[in-house]
Amino acid sequence: MDFELPEEYRSFRDMVHRWVDAEVPKEWARKLEADEHAYPFALWDKFTEAGFHGVGISEEFGGQGGDVLMQMLLARELARSLGGLAWIWGITSFAGSKSIGLYGSEEQKKKFLPLIATGQLKAAIAFTEPAGGTDLLGAMTTTAERVDGGWKINGEKIWSSSAHVADYLLVIARSDKAAEKKHQGLTLFWVPTKTAGVKITPLAKLGMRSMGSCSIHFEDAFVPDELVLGEPDKAWYMLLPTLNNERIMVGAFCLGVIDGVLEDAVDYMKQRKAFGGIIGRFQSLQHYVADIATMQKTTELMLMYCADKQSRGEPVGVEANMLKLMASENANQAADLGIQILGGMGYSAETDMQRYWRDSRLWRIGPITNEMVRNGIAESLGLPRSY
């Protein structure tokens, strides 16, 4: 069993690490995030110039190529400095290139993937219902009705990050109200945000600032047949593999946050002086750092395991859930310890610990709550469904 990355992956990781330090340092990320209502187009443009939007898209469609593992290495390095702002890259990577690449038609791939790879198209995810949260299927009230030449969508979605600047929305809606089971009768749509009947409203929130999160109202929004992804009424079966990918991506972002927390904590402990010397000599703080470093390594091992399994096409549903659970709780705990190490400065907007804490707190809730993740893991061991 070889835990070392192949040379190609190490070179890519090291290149991105240097790029992050030079192009998107933490102090710049703080400034972007502080301007809460301004989407960071400059950050998007830097990703475009670096070619990152094309990672995971085959060269046939204008991308850089690269598998799941390479995408996760990129996600980790970006989050080390950017925290939640790494989703500026990640949302379109998931909602756009991953979704179009997996269930798009050949025509859809040829039309949209080159635009995504070159940074000309932004996408957003519109799945969550206002009354549903994690109960996506049970609370699905957004409907799609067949009409001449396409569909009319009515309903509301919430917590759609970056929808206010997106060009397209990845929307799931109930297309068959008479379906026998909740996971049946759902269809996936690729909806232009400028469609008549689509209204997007930004929402205020604790973390993940400046990238924006929105509610979306659909009122008789017409979507032509050529913008249906995959087979109508079969969306849930198509989505399951990509949901695993989303959980693995969250794991990578969380690991990047842990990297950033550890960097800042160790650096601060070597410089800050109190009671006649550096605070790095205090045993209690050393224990905090040891805990953070242990979280980092265990999260890294689980992330590499899951990414490798998925890249080889092996089932990874339970393991991806375990990764999301462990990584999100490790990242949030690490950031909390980081605040404790820095003391008052950890609570200050002049440092990144509070930003890491606010951003990582969301990952314990989305894209699926950790409580629901635990339910799924328990069920995989043969225990009865608890809800």
Side-chain angles (χ1 to χ4, degrees):
M1 185 177 295
D2 186 1
F3 288 96
E4 288 298 316
L5 287 170
E7 175 59 31
E8 176 188 3
Y9 292 87
R10 293 200 303 271
S11 296
F12 177 75
R13 178 199 61 195
D14 295 345
M15 178 276 291
V16 178
H17 189 97
R18 293 190 299 270
W19 183 90
V20 166
D21 286 343
E23 297 292 335
V24 292
K26 295 174 185 178
E27 56 268 24
W28 190 58
R30 287 198 303 274
K31 291 178 182 177
L32 293 179
E33 199 251 8
D35 197 354
E36 183 172 354
H37 303 293
Y39 182 84
F41 290 101
L43 178 59
W44 175 272
D45 292 342
K46 282 182 178 288
F47 292 153
T48 300
E49 293 166 8
F52 293 158
H53 296 304
V55 174
I57 297 177
S58 71
E59 295 181 14
E60 175 188 0
F61 299 110
Q64 307 294 321
D67 59 8
V68 174
L69 182 54
M70 191 162 285
Q71 287 179 301
M72 296 313 121
L73 292 172
L74 174 59
R76 175 184 183 177
E77 290 298 336
L78 294 180
R80 178 175 61 88
S81 173
L82 295 170
L85 287 175
W87 272 119
I88 298 295
W89 164 79
I91 292 172
T92 296
S93 177
F94 173 78
S97 57
K98 178 62 68 175
S99 299
I100 297 290
L102 281 178
Y103 13 87
S105 66
E106 196 65 22
E107 291 74 20
Q108 289 168 339
K109 292 176 184 178
K110 289 178 180 178
K111 180 177 181 179
F112 296 115
L113 290 181
L115 296 176
I116 294 171
T118 53
Q120 299 177 69
L121 187 156
K122 299 180 183 70
I125 306 167
F127 283 8
T128 304
E129 302 269 333
T134 299
D135 187 16
L136 176 65
L137 299 179
M140 181 73 66
T141 59
T142 300
T143 60
E145 178 187 359
R146 277 192 181 275
V147 295
D148 186 29
W151 305 74
K152 277 193 175 180
I153 299 179
N154 286 280
E156 183 179 1
K157 300 292 184 177
I158 199 169
W159 304 123
S160 178
S161 296
S162 297
H164 61 310
V165 298
D167 301 294
Y168 285 84
L169 304 170
L170 183 67
V171 181
I172 188 170
R174 185 161 297 285
S175 50
D176 182 2
K177 296 179 183 178
E180 184 179 347
K181 297 183 178 179
K182 292 185 293 184
H183 65 274
Q184 298 172 337
L186 302 172
T187 299
L188 204 58
F189 299 91
W190 186 236
V191 183
T193 53
K194 297 188 184 304
T195 299
V198 174
K199 181 182 178 182
I200 299 173
T201 306
L203 303 167
K205 58 189 188 302
L206 174 67
M208 301 283 182
R209 298 176 181 175
S210 78
M211 64 182 290
S213 289
C214 308
S215 64
I216 307 173
H217 293 263
F218 299 92
E219 185 175 351
D220 288 337
F222 175 74
V223 182
D225 284 324
E226 58 263 29
L227 293 181
V228 172
L229 296 184
E231 186 178 352
D233 298 332
K234 305 292 184 183
W236 192 246
Y237 302 99
M238 299 186 303
L239 280 172
L240 288 177
T242 57
L243 296 179
N244 292 335
N245 180 264
E246 187 181 29
R247 285 154 176 66
I248 296 172
M249 184 179 287
V250 167
F253 285 146
C254 288
L255 180 55
V257 163
I258 298 171
D259 293 339
V261 167
L262 188 59
E263 280 181 350
D264 289 359
V266 171
D267 184 63
Y268 190 80
M269 287 170 61
K270 289 179 178 178
Q271 297 183 41
R272 173 82 163 107
K273 292 182 178 179
F275 302 102
I278 61 169
I279 64 171
R281 75 189 194 279
F282 298 149
Q283 186 183 59
S284 60
L285 299 188
Q286 290 181 357
H287 287 184
Y288 292 163
V289 165
D291 288 344
I292 296 169
T294 302
M295 295 174 199
Q296 179 192 50
K297 184 55 65 176
T298 54
T299 305
E300 179 184 43
L301 290 170
M302 191 64 172
L303 172 66
M304 294 299 107
Y305 174 69
C306 289
D308 178 65
K309 284 197 74 172
Q310 189 173 61
S311 68
R312 289 187 279 110
E314 296 184 12
V316 72
V318 174
E319 293 88 346
N321 269 340
M322 290 176 174
L323 168 65
K324 188 271 178 187
L325 170 66
M326 179 180 71
S328 61
E329 297 194 350
N330 280 350
N332 199 226
Q333 184 181 356
D336 195 72
L337 289 173
I339 291 175
Q340 198 70 18
I341 290 169
L342 269 64
M345 288 307 297
Y347 203 67
S348 169
E350 295 179 18
T351 68
D352 295 286
M353 290 301 186
Q354 48 80 31
R355 180 167 62 92
Y356 288 137
W357 186 90
R358 286 186 287 105
D359 286 354
S360 64
R361 185 62 183 85
L362 176 62
W363 285 317
R364 290 168 54 194
I365 302 170
I368 179 175
T369 65
N370 284 2
E371 290 75 17
M372 187 63 76
V373 167
R374 286 183 165 92
N375 289 342
I377 295 170
E379 288 169 28
S380 75
L381 300 173
L383 295 176
R385 194 169 191 176
S386 59
Y387 58 95

